[in-house]
Structure formats: C-alpha cells, structure tokens
Amino acid sequence: MNIPSDLKYAESHEWVKELGGGKVQVGITDHAQEELGDLVYVELPQVGDVLEHGDNFAVVESVKATSDVIAPVDGTVSAINEEVADSPEIVNSDCYGAWLVELEGLGHLDELMDAEEYEKFLAEQE
C-alpha cells in the first residue's frame, strides 16, 4: 500500500498535503480508494464553503458503495478539482495526485497522523 511520507492522514482515510501559505490539498488515501473500488461519481463542495473538522464535505460513489468524505481539518474551500468531478476514475489511478479540494484558514492540522502513524493505524484495523 502506498503511504507517502510527505502527507498527513486522518483516521477517516483522507490525506492532507501542506501547500504553504496556510493552504492544503485534501484527497482520499490509497486504502480508501482500494476499499471503495472503481469510482464512478464524486460530488464536491462549492468554493467558499466553510468546513469544520469532522464535517461530511464530499461524496464518492463507486461500483461497490457510496461513502462520505470527512473534513480532516477546519478550513474554507478555496478550490475544487474539476478534473476529479468530471473523471472520478483518476482517483483510482492516482489517489495522491487527484486531490479533491484546497482549503485555507486551517484548524486541527496538528491532530493528523504522519505516514508511520497512519501505517500503524491501518495495521491495527485489520
């Protein structure tokens, strides 16, 4: 399983990439996309939406299931990835390149796991 060391992770299987300037990108992890199977639909929030840590902010639908994507941090949506909305299958082929949203005005970032902690967390879930 692919768990890049430069990202942060939430127990709900989202990754967070710090971009600098108080912004991050958020997507779903390799584990999440593997569990879901082939994605066929992604519903993203609107730019300007204010998210709180723990909010459902997006929906991903696969041939197996529909799942909520949980906000791993507080923030305001500053961008959405239209490419993912138009072609959800790119999340399956490159889940760490296919970010869902960019957020700014962050809170709870320090509560996320690093790659090593996330790998341990996954091992405990099996």
Side-chain angles (χ1 to χ4, degrees), residues 21-75:
K23 288 189 176 187
V24 297
Q25 288 177 334
V26 178
I28 64 171
T29 65
D30 192 31
H31 174 80
Q33 70 82 25
E34 206 171 88
E35 290 290 309
L36 285 165
D38 294 335
L39 294 185
V40 295
Y41 176 75
V42 176
E43 181 181 311
L44 298 173
Q46 300 292 314
V47 171
D49 284 357
V50 177
L51 306 179
E52 291 186 23
H53 172 257
D55 284 352
N56 297 341
F57 77 89
V59 175
V60 289
E61 186 176 324
S62 71
V63 293
K64 288 184 184 178
T66 299
S67 183
D68 291 325
V69 182
I70 310 298
V73 295
D74 296 340

Side-chain angles (χ1 to χ4, degrees), residues 12-27:
S12 50
H13 307 292
E14 291 82 21
W15 58 261
V16 174
K17 178 180 184 178
E18 293 184 68
L19 301 175
K23 288 189 176 187
V24 297
Q25 288 177 334
V26 178

